[in-house]
């Protein structure tokens, strides 16, 4: 920190400053992502899958390439879901006081109660499917979120679980396209930030992908990754491998249920065709019902990917 900068900021003169990388890159570092067989899923407002590798691939069609925190490495990020975990919160708030009262009676938070009840709903939600286009991609602005398959058996917890299943099924599709283009396959998934605190979400990702799902031990993985950059930059650790060994600890592991994985594999084939049928309908209603959404704007979009990236499941 220079004397001039210190006068402007109040930060002590001479303090070492270490440049890190973008938010997703330090999150990946803080989660311990370092091999091409691991898919990191960031379960925040924007939900996306990431992996790492040694090549700059600017012409990829199923993902985009960013610099990783580690020199000479790159972070590959799949297309994802805008308003991802935001949609989960939206439904929680929409369900209102009745669900909140039930949570208080059970001595749980609203989220814990929803996850507990949704875990009792059978996989596949008795046929309820949710496509998470609550915020449409720029190349298809007519799209809307879709919930279909009601037949009277489903209730609020089916709806909640269906959103979680929609997130997992969408990421399975987008991350699968990234894996195909990279010539790799996923040996396990690693889930981080907000949504990873849900055991139900963790189990869904294990069941949908058919490989173990690991929870990041530190919820603020981006903060940890930035600290790891500082540790290497100031010499506290010699290499990023040393920093990862000393600073990243494994979290809980969820193993897939073979029967549930078989069901989600079949269901995923149907799920990926939904937009073929809904797109023509939404194109027509786009001009009839108006183009502006009444849903409040979400938190600012992450800066690590283009705003026009496809969000298709």
């Amino acid at each position: 920190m220079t004397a001039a900068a210190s006068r402007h900021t109040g930060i002590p003169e001479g303090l070492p400053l270490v440049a890190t990388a973008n938010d997703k890159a330090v999150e990946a570092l803080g989660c311990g992502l370092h091999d091409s067989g691991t898919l990191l899923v960031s379960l925040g407002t924007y939900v996306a899958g990431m992996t790492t590798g040694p090549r700059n691939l600017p012409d990829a069609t199923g993902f985009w390439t960013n610099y990783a925190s580690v020199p000479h490495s790159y972070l590959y990020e799949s297309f994802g879901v805008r308003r991802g975990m935001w949609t989960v919160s939206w439904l929680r708030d929409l369900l209102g006081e009745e669900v909140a009262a039930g949570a208080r009676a059970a001595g749980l938070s609203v989220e814990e109660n929803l996850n507990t009840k949704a875990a009792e709903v059978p996989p596949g939600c008795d046929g309820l499917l949710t496509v998470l286009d609550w915020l449409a991609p720029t190349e298809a602005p007519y799209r809307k979120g879709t919930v279909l398959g009601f037949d009277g058996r489903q209730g609020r917890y089916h709806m909640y679980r269906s959103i979680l299943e929609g997130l997992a099924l969408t990421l399975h599709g987008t991350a699968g396209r990234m894996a195909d283009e990279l010539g790799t396959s996923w040996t396990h998934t690693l889930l981080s930030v907000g949504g990873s605190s849900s055991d139900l979400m963790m189990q869904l990702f294990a069941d949908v992908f058919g490989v173990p799902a690991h929870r990041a031990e530190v919820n603020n993985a981006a903060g940890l990754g930035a600290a790891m950059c500082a540790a290497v930059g100031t010499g506290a650790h010699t290499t990023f491998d040393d920093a990862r060994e000393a600073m990243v600890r494994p979290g809980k592991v969820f193993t897939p249920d073979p029967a549930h994985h078989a069901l989600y594999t079949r269901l995923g084939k149907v799920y990926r065709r939904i937009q073929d049928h809904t797109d023509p309908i939404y194109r027509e209603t786009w001009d009839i019902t108006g183009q502006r959404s009444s849903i409040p704007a979400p938190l600012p979009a992450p800066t690590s990917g283009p705003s026009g990236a496809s969000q298709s499941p």
Side-chain angles (χ1 to χ4, degrees):
M1 175 63 65
T2 66
S6 178
R7 287 194 298 272
H8 282 288
T9 64
I11 300 174
E13 180 182 351
L15 187 74
L17 299 179
V18 179
T20 60
N22 68 42
D23 55 348
K24 295 296 187 187
V26 288
E27 179 184 346
L29 183 65
C31 287
L33 181 68
H34 67 283
D35 69 272
S36 61
T38 301
L39 176 72
L40 169 63
V41 179
S42 180
L43 289 166
T45 303
Y46 181 78
V47 175
M50 293 169 277
T51 193
T52 189
R55 298 174 293 157
N56 182 17
L57 300 170
D59 299 323
T61 60
F63 59 94
W64 58 84
T65 304
N66 289 308
Y67 289 113
S69 293
V70 178
H72 312 297
S73 295
Y74 295 89
L75 186 73
Y76 310 128
E77 183 176 344
S78 76
F79 300 151
V81 182
R82 302 182 191 186
R83 289 182 176 168
M85 292 307 298
W86 180 95
T87 308
V88 178
S89 300
W90 167 83
L91 180 63
R92 176 203 63 199
D93 296 342
L94 190 67
L95 293 174
E97 176 57 26
E98 186 174 353
V99 168
R104 289 193 297 270
L108 301 172
S109 70
V110 176
E111 290 82 1
E112 289 170 335
N113 192 51
L114 284 169
N115 282 303
T116 298
K117 295 294 187 180
E120 299 172 0
V121 173
C125 299
D126 291 323
L128 203 65
L129 296 169
T130 299
V131 178
L132 292 147
D133 277 321
W134 265 248
L135 178 61
T138 54
E139 75 275 12
Y142 51 82
R143 282 187 180 153
K144 307 289 184 183
T146 302
V147 185
L148 72 162
F150 287 105
D151 63 10
R153 291 177 294 169
Q154 301 92 349
R156 58 178 66 89
Y157 304 117
H158 286 75
M159 294 175 65
Y160 183 83
R161 182 182 178 116
S162 182
I163 288 176
L164 302 190
E165 290 185 345
L167 287 169
L169 289 168
T170 300
L171 263 293
H172 184 262
T174 58
R177 290 199 295 274
M178 180 169 69
D180 291 342
E181 197 164 354
L182 288 171
T184 191
S185 58
W186 310 126
T187 58
H188 66 279
T189 60
L190 178 60
L191 276 61
S192 72
V193 302
S196 66
S197 62
S198 163
D199 284 1
L200 174 58
M201 180 73 90
M202 294 295 303
Q203 189 61 52
L204 283 175
F205 269 83
D207 291 344
V208 168
F209 279 79
V211 296
H214 298 236
R215 174 182 285 146
E217 197 269 343
V218 174
N219 188 264
N220 181 14
L224 177 58
M228 292 167 68
C229 290
V232 175
T234 58
H237 291 295
T238 305
T239 67
F240 282 97
D241 286 340
D242 292 338
R244 183 175 61 251
E245 182 67 25
M247 300 174 70
V248 179
R249 296 185 295 274
K252 186 176 179 180
V253 180
F254 295 75
T255 58
D257 180 300
H260 294 173
H261 175 59
L263 182 148
Y264 285 125
T265 298
R266 295 176 61 195
L267 201 59
K269 295 177 182 178
V270 177
Y271 186 83
R272 288 189 288 273
R273 300 201 310 271
I274 292 175
Q275 286 176 331
D276 295 340
H277 303 280
T278 57
D279 276 1
I281 295 171
Y282 290 141
R283 285 192 187 98
E284 290 188 49
T285 59
W286 172 254
D287 291 326
I288 298 170
T289 61
Q291 301 175 5
R292 291 182 61 85
S293 171
S294 61
I295 298 176
L299 296 174
T303 58
S304 58
S307 61
S310 172
Q311 312 300 317
S312 302

